[in-house]
Short mmCIF file of all heavy atoms in Angstrom, two decimals:
data_model
loop_
_atom_site.label_atom_id
_atom_site.label_comp_id
_atom_site.label_asym_id
_atom_site.label_seq_id
_atom_site.Cartn_x
_atom_site.Cartn_y
_atom_site.Cartn_z
N LEU A 824 93.38 108.21 105.79
CA LEU A 824 93.33 106.91 105.08
C LEU A 824 94.64 106.24 105.22
O LEU A 824 95.71 106.79 104.88
CB LEU A 824 93.00 107.14 103.59
CG LEU A 824 92.97 105.86 102.76
CD1 LEU A 824 91.81 104.97 103.12
CD2 LEU A 824 92.95 106.22 101.23
N ILE A 825 94.63 104.99 105.71
CA ILE A 825 95.83 104.15 105.80
C ILE A 825 95.79 103.21 104.58
O ILE A 825 94.88 102.36 104.52
CB ILE A 825 95.94 103.42 107.11
CG1 ILE A 825 95.95 104.33 108.31
CG2 ILE A 825 97.15 102.50 107.13
CD1 ILE A 825 95.89 103.67 109.67
N ALA A 826 96.73 103.36 103.65
CA ALA A 826 96.74 102.53 102.51
C ALA A 826 97.98 101.57 102.59
O ALA A 826 99.13 101.97 102.45
CB ALA A 826 96.87 103.36 101.23
N ASP A 827 97.70 100.33 102.92
CA ASP A 827 98.74 99.30 103.10
C ASP A 827 98.99 98.58 101.82
O ASP A 827 98.21 97.70 101.40
CB ASP A 827 98.35 98.39 104.21
CG ASP A 827 99.45 97.40 104.63
OD1 ASP A 827 100.53 97.48 104.04
OD2 ASP A 827 99.25 96.61 105.54
N GLU A 828 100.11 98.90 101.14
CA GLU A 828 100.47 98.35 99.84
C GLU A 828 99.27 98.28 98.92
O GLU A 828 98.83 97.25 98.45
CB GLU A 828 100.99 96.85 100.06
CG GLU A 828 102.18 96.75 100.99
CD GLU A 828 103.47 97.07 100.28
OE1 GLU A 828 103.44 97.54 99.13
OE2 GLU A 828 104.52 96.83 100.91
N PRO A 829 98.69 99.46 98.61
CA PRO A 829 97.43 99.46 97.81
C PRO A 829 97.59 99.04 96.36
O PRO A 829 96.60 98.82 95.72
CB PRO A 829 97.03 100.97 97.84
CG PRO A 829 98.36 101.76 98.01
CD PRO A 829 99.20 100.84 98.88
N THR A 830 98.83 98.93 95.85
CA THR A 830 99.05 98.51 94.47
C THR A 830 99.66 97.14 94.33
O THR A 830 100.06 96.74 93.25
CB THR A 830 99.92 99.54 93.71
OG1 THR A 830 101.13 99.66 94.40
CG2 THR A 830 99.19 100.88 93.70
N THR A 831 99.77 96.40 95.47
CA THR A 831 100.42 95.05 95.39
C THR A 831 99.55 94.16 94.48
O THR A 831 98.32 94.13 94.49
CB THR A 831 100.47 94.45 96.79
OG1 THR A 831 101.36 95.23 97.59
CG2 THR A 831 100.99 93.00 96.75
N ALA A 832 100.24 93.35 93.67
CA ALA A 832 99.65 92.34 92.80
C ALA A 832 98.84 92.96 91.60
O ALA A 832 98.13 92.21 90.92
CB ALA A 832 98.70 91.38 93.60
N LEU A 833 99.01 94.18 91.40
CA LEU A 833 98.39 94.87 90.24
C LEU A 833 99.43 95.16 89.23
O LEU A 833 100.60 95.45 89.54
CB LEU A 833 97.65 96.17 90.67
CG LEU A 833 96.58 96.03 91.73
CD1 LEU A 833 96.11 97.43 92.08
CD2 LEU A 833 95.46 95.16 91.25
N ASP A 834 99.03 95.14 87.93
CA ASP A 834 100.07 95.42 86.86
C ASP A 834 100.35 96.93 86.89
O ASP A 834 99.68 97.70 87.53
CB ASP A 834 99.57 94.96 85.51
CG ASP A 834 98.35 95.72 85.03
OD1 ASP A 834 98.34 96.95 85.02
OD2 ASP A 834 97.35 95.04 84.60
N VAL A 835 101.39 97.31 86.21
CA VAL A 835 101.95 98.63 86.30
C VAL A 835 100.94 99.72 85.90
O VAL A 835 100.79 100.74 86.56
CB VAL A 835 103.23 98.75 85.48
CG1 VAL A 835 103.75 100.22 85.46
CG2 VAL A 835 104.32 97.83 85.94
N THR A 836 100.18 99.45 84.87
CA THR A 836 99.20 100.44 84.36
C THR A 836 98.15 100.67 85.45
O THR A 836 97.75 101.81 85.76
CB THR A 836 98.54 99.97 83.09
OG1 THR A 836 99.57 99.75 82.08
CG2 THR A 836 97.54 101.00 82.56
N ILE A 837 97.59 99.56 86.04
CA ILE A 837 96.52 99.71 87.05
C ILE A 837 97.15 100.35 88.31
O ILE A 837 96.47 101.15 88.97
CB ILE A 837 95.99 98.31 87.38
CG1 ILE A 837 95.37 97.65 86.14
CG2 ILE A 837 94.89 98.42 88.46
CD1 ILE A 837 94.31 98.46 85.47
N GLN A 838 98.43 100.08 88.66
CA GLN A 838 99.09 100.69 89.80
C GLN A 838 99.01 102.21 89.66
O GLN A 838 98.68 102.92 90.61
CB GLN A 838 100.53 100.23 89.94
CG GLN A 838 100.71 98.83 90.46
CD GLN A 838 102.19 98.49 90.60
OE1 GLN A 838 102.98 99.36 90.67
NE2 GLN A 838 102.47 97.19 90.64
N ALA A 839 99.37 102.70 88.47
CA ALA A 839 99.41 104.10 88.20
C ALA A 839 98.00 104.70 88.33
O ALA A 839 97.84 105.82 88.94
CB ALA A 839 99.95 104.38 86.84
N GLN A 840 97.06 103.99 87.83
CA GLN A 840 95.61 104.47 87.93
C GLN A 840 95.17 104.57 89.39
O GLN A 840 94.45 105.53 89.78
CB GLN A 840 94.72 103.54 87.16
CG GLN A 840 94.93 103.61 85.66
CD GLN A 840 94.07 102.60 84.91
OE1 GLN A 840 93.24 101.87 85.55
NE2 GLN A 840 94.19 102.50 83.61
N ILE A 841 95.50 103.57 90.19
CA ILE A 841 95.13 103.59 91.57
C ILE A 841 95.77 104.75 92.34
O ILE A 841 95.09 105.43 93.15
CB ILE A 841 95.49 102.25 92.26
CG1 ILE A 841 94.66 101.08 91.68
CG2 ILE A 841 95.27 102.31 93.80
CD1 ILE A 841 93.19 101.20 91.92
N MET A 842 97.08 104.97 92.09
CA MET A 842 97.76 106.11 92.80
C MET A 842 97.18 107.45 92.30
O MET A 842 97.04 108.38 93.12
CB MET A 842 99.25 106.02 92.53
CG MET A 842 99.96 104.77 93.15
SD MET A 842 99.50 104.50 94.88
CE MET A 842 100.00 106.04 95.63
N GLU A 843 96.90 107.56 91.02
CA GLU A 843 96.25 108.82 90.54
C GLU A 843 94.89 109.01 91.20
O GLU A 843 94.49 110.13 91.53
CB GLU A 843 96.08 108.78 89.00
CG GLU A 843 97.43 108.88 88.30
CD GLU A 843 97.31 108.64 86.81
OE1 GLU A 843 96.13 108.51 86.34
OE2 GLU A 843 98.30 108.62 86.09
N LEU A 844 94.09 107.90 91.34
CA LEU A 844 92.86 107.98 92.01
C LEU A 844 92.98 108.47 93.44
O LEU A 844 92.24 109.32 93.93
CB LEU A 844 92.17 106.58 91.95
CG LEU A 844 90.86 106.42 92.76
CD1 LEU A 844 89.77 107.33 92.28
CD2 LEU A 844 90.47 104.95 92.79
N LEU A 845 93.94 107.89 94.20
CA LEU A 845 94.10 108.26 95.57
C LEU A 845 94.50 109.76 95.67
O LEU A 845 94.01 110.49 96.57
CB LEU A 845 95.23 107.42 96.25
CG LEU A 845 94.81 105.98 96.56
CD1 LEU A 845 96.02 105.22 97.11
CD2 LEU A 845 93.64 105.96 97.58
N ALA A 846 95.35 110.22 94.74
CA ALA A 846 95.74 111.64 94.75
C ALA A 846 94.55 112.57 94.51
O ALA A 846 94.38 113.57 95.18
CB ALA A 846 96.83 111.87 93.69
N ARG A 847 93.70 112.16 93.54
CA ARG A 847 92.49 112.95 93.22
C ARG A 847 91.52 112.98 94.42
O ARG A 847 90.98 114.01 94.73
CB ARG A 847 91.84 112.41 92.01
CG ARG A 847 90.52 113.10 91.59
CD ARG A 847 90.02 112.65 90.27
NE ARG A 847 89.68 111.27 90.25
CZ ARG A 847 88.55 110.74 90.70
NH1 ARG A 847 87.65 111.50 91.23
NH2 ARG A 847 88.30 109.46 90.55
N LEU A 848 91.28 111.80 94.99
CA LEU A 848 90.37 111.74 96.11
C LEU A 848 90.92 112.49 97.34
O LEU A 848 90.16 113.05 98.14
CB LEU A 848 90.10 110.26 96.44
CG LEU A 848 89.35 109.47 95.38
CD1 LEU A 848 89.22 108.02 95.78
CD2 LEU A 848 87.99 110.10 95.11
N GLN A 849 92.28 112.42 97.55
CA GLN A 849 92.85 113.11 98.64
C GLN A 849 92.54 114.67 98.52
O GLN A 849 92.15 115.29 99.48
CB GLN A 849 94.33 112.89 98.70
CG GLN A 849 95.06 113.64 99.87
CD GLN A 849 96.52 113.42 99.94
OE1 GLN A 849 97.14 113.16 98.89
NE2 GLN A 849 97.08 113.43 101.13
N GLU A 850 92.72 115.17 97.33
CA GLU A 850 92.51 116.56 97.10
C GLU A 850 90.97 116.89 97.28
O GLU A 850 90.60 117.93 97.89
CB GLU A 850 92.93 116.98 95.73
CG GLU A 850 92.78 118.48 95.42
CD GLU A 850 93.38 118.87 94.06
OE1 GLU A 850 94.03 117.96 93.43
OE2 GLU A 850 93.19 120.00 93.66
N GLU A 851 90.15 115.98 96.83
CA GLU A 851 88.68 116.27 96.89
C GLU A 851 88.20 116.18 98.33
O GLU A 851 87.35 116.99 98.77
CB GLU A 851 87.97 115.25 96.04
CG GLU A 851 86.44 115.52 95.90
CD GLU A 851 85.87 114.71 94.75
OE1 GLU A 851 86.58 114.31 93.79
OE2 GLU A 851 84.64 114.47 94.84
N PHE A 852 88.69 115.19 99.12
CA PHE A 852 88.26 115.00 100.48
C PHE A 852 89.07 115.73 101.51
O PHE A 852 88.72 115.73 102.67
CB PHE A 852 88.19 113.52 100.82
CG PHE A 852 87.09 112.74 100.19
CD1 PHE A 852 87.21 112.22 98.88
CD2 PHE A 852 85.89 112.53 100.84
CE1 PHE A 852 86.16 111.52 98.31
CE2 PHE A 852 84.85 111.83 100.29
CZ PHE A 852 84.97 111.30 99.01
N GLU A 853 90.23 116.30 101.10
CA GLU A 853 91.16 117.01 101.95
C GLU A 853 91.57 116.07 103.13
O GLU A 853 91.61 116.46 104.31
CB GLU A 853 90.56 118.29 102.49
CG GLU A 853 90.24 119.31 101.40
CD GLU A 853 89.74 120.58 101.97
OE1 GLU A 853 89.20 120.59 103.14
OE2 GLU A 853 89.86 121.62 101.34
N MET A 854 91.88 114.81 102.82
CA MET A 854 92.26 113.89 103.81
C MET A 854 93.77 113.64 103.85
O MET A 854 94.48 113.95 102.87
CB MET A 854 91.55 112.53 103.59
CG MET A 854 91.96 111.84 102.34
SD MET A 854 91.04 110.29 102.10
CE MET A 854 91.70 109.79 100.54
N ALA A 855 94.27 113.13 104.93
CA ALA A 855 95.66 112.71 105.04
C ALA A 855 95.79 111.22 104.67
O ALA A 855 94.81 110.48 104.75
CB ALA A 855 96.15 112.94 106.47
N ILE A 856 96.95 110.89 104.17
CA ILE A 856 97.16 109.45 103.79
C ILE A 856 98.52 108.94 104.41
O ILE A 856 99.50 109.62 104.36
CB ILE A 856 97.25 109.30 102.27
CG1 ILE A 856 95.94 109.66 101.60
CG2 ILE A 856 97.65 107.86 101.87
CD1 ILE A 856 95.95 109.56 100.07
N LEU A 857 98.40 107.76 105.06
CA LEU A 857 99.61 107.03 105.46
C LEU A 857 99.79 105.94 104.42
O LEU A 857 99.02 104.99 104.34
CB LEU A 857 99.41 106.43 106.85
CG LEU A 857 100.60 105.47 107.33
CD1 LEU A 857 101.90 106.22 107.35
CD2 LEU A 857 100.24 104.91 108.69
#
């Protein structure tokens, strides 16, 4: 998964949620992330 500025224009709380989501999905799907 290539994530290009995935939290741009989001407030700090939502940014944290998006990054936590990506971490959880990475573990679940065993995928690499750029």
Side-chain angles (χ1 to χ4, degrees):
L824 176 68
I825 300 174
D827 188 359
E828 303 279 7
T830 58
T831 295
L833 300 177
D834 65 53
V835 176
T836 302
I837 302 301
Q838 285 183 22
Q840 292 176 1
I841 293 297
M842 294 312 301
E843 289 173 6
L844 171 64
L845 286 176
R847 177 172 61 82
L848 295 175
Q849 179 179 31
E850 184 175 352
E851 187 166 337
F852 284 86
E853 297 183 338
M854 65 182 177
I856 296 178
L857 173 59

